[in-house]
Amino acid sequence: MNAVVLCCLLQAAADPYASAREAMVREQIASRDVTDRVVIQAMRQVPRHEFVPPELRDQAYADHPLPIGHGQTISQPYIVALMSQMLKLGPGLRVLEIGAGSGYQAAVLSRLAAKVYTIEIVAPLAESARQTLKRLGYHNVEVRHGNGYLGWPEQAPFDRILLTAAPREVPAALIEQLKPGGLLVAPVGGTPFSQELVTIEKTLDGKIRRRRGIPVLFVPMVSPPE
Ligand code: SAH
């Protein structure tokens, strides 16, 4: 057996999904408008199949969202990559995510930033995201079970904030917890078919600039029962 064949066999044994992940990056991400090499590299590295229910692993690298239980979904790979790119991340930055879900987006962000804080309102999802991230060695991610509308005041301010559930309007507490010079990206809209990706920039002198982006479809951001 020659060395190249042996190497591929060893790789496949270590990660049977490696070639599916490569195909996902090539066909769904790099071929569309995701050009940031660091984002592409992160999408190449993070084992998405570890973040989906075992019975759906064979679909983990397909071009659509998947159910993760409790009526929630892990976003389509392309959307994860696109939002990661829109955040313009870099070494040293601290990021807050609202809607940990499976923990996959947080794992991708953790490759692009210094520290990721992520909040999840469904307790069992928060727990399983925490376990998965720990098991896979994403030690710069902290998961909290709580209400994302309140943000994470103890750790604020954040350089970047990403919402992966859609509020009607971006919560004021989150804009407050954004650093001057920071960016927030969120799907915003009252009904599922009126959502769009919005970017909010807080300028160094504290002004808020808002830009509207592409239409998207996310699960709604919910409020806890009174
Ligand atoms: N980022 C996730 C997918 C998010 S799905 C991933 O990579 O898998 C949206 C998540 O937002 C769901 O898990 C939902 O329970 C959560 N969510 C909805 N409203 C919330 C709120 N107010 N605070 C925190 N999480 C919320």
Side-chain angles (χ1 to χ4, degrees):
M1 200 179 303
N2 73 35
V4 175
V5 173
L6 179 62
C7 158
C8 290
L9 284 175
L10 286 174
Q11 243 178 17
D15 182 356
Y17 292 93
S19 64
R21 192 161 55 249
E22 271 305 313
M24 170 194 84
V25 169
R26 199 174 51 244
E27 290 158 19
Q28 303 169 34
I29 290 165
S31 64
R32 295 183 182 152
D33 47 357
V34 178
T35 52
D36 185 324
R37 284 165 159 221
V38 191
V39 171
I40 292 175
Q41 188 57 15
M43 296 300 291
R44 238 186 217 124
Q45 285 171 348
V46 179
R48 183 171 162 94
H49 61 277
E50 299 279 3
F51 293 86
V52 306
E55 65 278 13
L56 295 177
R57 282 202 168 161
D58 286 347
Q59 295 179 55
Y61 297 98
D63 197 11
H64 52 73
L66 287 170
I68 53 170
H70 307 274
Q72 306 304 327
T73 53
I74 176 174
S75 307
Q76 178 191 12
Y78 166 67
I79 290 289
V80 172
L82 181 70
M83 293 201 303
S84 302
Q85 174 169 274
M86 287 169 75
L87 283 173
K88 300 191 173 126
L89 289 155
L93 298 186
R94 297 166 75 253
V95 185
L96 173 67
E97 181 196 23
I98 307 299
S102 67
Y104 175 67
Q105 172 81 70
V108 171
L109 296 175
S110 81
R111 304 295 84 184
L112 308 167
K115 178 92 192 189
V116 178
Y117 298 87
T118 182
I119 306 178
E120 172 54 53
I121 202 163
V122 177
L125 284 178
E127 187 50 35
S128 69
R130 188 179 293 124
Q131 294 297 333
T132 308
L133 289 160
K134 188 173 167 203
R135 175 169 60 80
L136 298 173
Y138 294 98
H139 298 304
N140 60 338
V141 183
E142 219 172 296
V143 182
R144 167 189 267 193
H145 168 230
N147 175 13
Y149 278 99
L150 307 175
W152 196 320
E154 301 84 345
Q155 294 296 345
F158 299 96
D159 300 289
R160 303 288 187 265
I161 300 180
L162 176 65
L163 280 68
T164 64
R168 232 167 230 287
E169 256 317 316
V170 179
L174 298 183
I175 297 180
E176 225 162 81
Q177 291 175 28
L178 189 61
K179 253 188 209 166
L183 285 177
L184 176 152
V185 172
V188 176
T191 60
F193 293 99
S194 66
Q195 293 173 15
E196 57 187 12
L197 271 186
V198 165
T199 305
I200 287 182
E201 180 191 350
K202 190 184 263 187
T203 61
L204 287 172
D205 55 359
K207 291 199 184 78
I208 300 300
R209 291 212 182 103
R210 185 186 163 111
R211 264 177 294 130
R212 298 173 55 179
I214 59 165
V216 283
L217 184 53
F218 276 79
V219 295
M221 189 166 162
V222 296
S223 298
E226 300 282 305

